[in-house]
Amino acid sequence: MVLGSQRSIPFPRIRIDKLVNYLKSVAEGRLSVDELKERGLDFGKGKGDLTRFFERLGVVKVDDGYVELTDIGHRLVELLGVKGAFAIHELLLSNIPQYEALVKVLKALGRAGEDELMAKVNDEVKRQYPSTWVNKVALRAMLGILKDLGIVAKKGGEYVYLGGVEAGSVNECLNRLSVTMGGEYLVSLVELSNCLGRQIDASALSNCGHLITSPGDILLKYRDPACVVMALARGILA
């Protein structure tokens, strides 16, 4: 379902981890719109900004004031366990032309200021959907998601494209090398370094989990793959 008919998408301005927490909470059992807001998982008028956003993407449905995952939503939550927050990135790329256009423009330009991005992204979107545009609020919200994922960084007054390739390669290596231990994962930083072709600074991962020193290696025990991917993707191009 591509949301190309929308003129200016109501993209919530929120961190990627909040989107992940929202989905995982709804996956545990349907919650009312009011409960989601009371728990700080959603905000805004009526159904709530996040509920409205995910509903338009076909990820959740609202029935008599209660929110639950659709089949697409259940699959997305499964993918969160494998790919981390990059599962949401892939969903947005596939369903929101404005988001896809932003990534395409950033990749082509390498780096650009907000005004240039606004103009280029709108030009790109209008080639496919003439009545569609991106406003400044939506642009900043999408850039925020890309920053959280380590795909872009803001340096000075410009946004610099760090590359989906780098983040993707980290994600691929992490998935291949990590061992599942209950609700946690364990990965060798020596093996991960070899896979990425560079030495990993273990201290960069200290906020993502517990570092375990072993003879000739350091192991990382972690819960959130997205945290590790973000930290390492940023480090590649720091």
Side-chain angles (χ1 to χ4, degrees):
M1 178 182 64
V2 178
L3 304 182
S5 59
Q6 291 181 241
R7 293 188 174 181
S8 183
I9 186 165
F11 208 106
R13 194 170 181 183
I14 192 167
R15 291 184 60 86
I16 191 74
D17 61 326
K18 297 293 185 181
L19 297 178
V20 172
N21 288 340
Y22 172 97
L23 291 170
K24 288 183 175 180
S25 296
V26 175
E28 292 175 356
R30 69 181 207 148
L31 296 169
S32 72
V33 168
D34 290 337
E35 285 176 309
L36 286 167
K37 292 179 182 178
E38 288 168 5
R39 296 187 187 186
L41 295 166
D42 203 351
F43 54 89
K45 297 180 180 179
K47 294 178 181 178
D49 290 358
L50 298 192
T51 296
R52 204 160 21 244
F53 177 67
F54 280 124
E55 186 179 32
R56 296 185 78 119
L57 286 168
V59 173
V60 302
K61 59 183 177 181
V62 182
D63 181 22
D64 196 26
Y66 282 84
V67 182
E68 57 186 306
L69 296 177
T70 62
D71 289 343
I72 293 173
H74 283 294
R75 178 56 181 156
L76 178 59
V77 171
E78 288 177 6
L79 289 173
L80 286 174
V82 178
K83 300 182 177 182
F86 279 85
I88 295 177
H89 172 65
E90 292 175 356
L91 176 79
L92 301 182
L93 275 178
S94 300
N95 291 276
I96 301 179
Q98 295 94 329
Y99 187 84
E100 180 186 22
L102 175 58
V103 173
K104 182 177 180 180
V105 168
L106 280 164
K107 186 175 182 179
L109 295 177
R111 61 192 305 146
E114 189 176 278
D115 290 342
E116 183 178 8
L117 283 174
M118 176 80 78
K120 296 287 187 181
V121 169
N122 276 313
D123 286 345
E124 181 68 29
V125 170
K126 287 178 181 178
R127 288 194 183 96
Q128 291 186 335
Y129 305 99
S131 63
T132 300
W133 73 86
V134 176
N135 62 33
K136 187 165 288 189
V137 172
L139 179 70
R140 288 175 176 172
M142 292 188 292
L143 285 168
I145 294 293
L146 292 171
K147 281 174 63 182
D148 288 345
L149 290 167
I151 294 173
V152 302
K154 191 172 184 181
K155 296 184 179 180
E158 293 185 314
Y159 290 91
V160 180
Y161 181 72
L162 302 180
V165 174
E166 287 77 10
S169 64
V170 172
N171 196 51
E172 181 182 351
C173 287
L174 196 63
N175 287 338
R176 179 150 50 88
L177 299 173
S178 294
V179 176
T180 304
M181 299 179 64
E184 297 182 305
Y185 305 93
L186 190 69
V187 66
S188 159
L189 296 193
V190 168
E191 291 182 359
L192 194 54
S193 294
N194 291 337
C195 184
L196 294 172
R198 70 179 182 90
Q199 188 65 34
I200 292 173
D201 177 6
S203 64
L205 299 172
S206 59
N207 291 329
C208 295
H210 179 56
L211 294 168
I212 305 168
T213 302
S214 64
D217 200 355
I218 297 177
L219 304 177
L220 174 68
K221 191 175 184 181
Y222 66 98
R223 286 183 177 272
D224 183 11
C227 179
V228 180
V229 173
M230 290 177 207
L232 293 179
R234 289 191 184 104
I236 287 174
L237 296 123

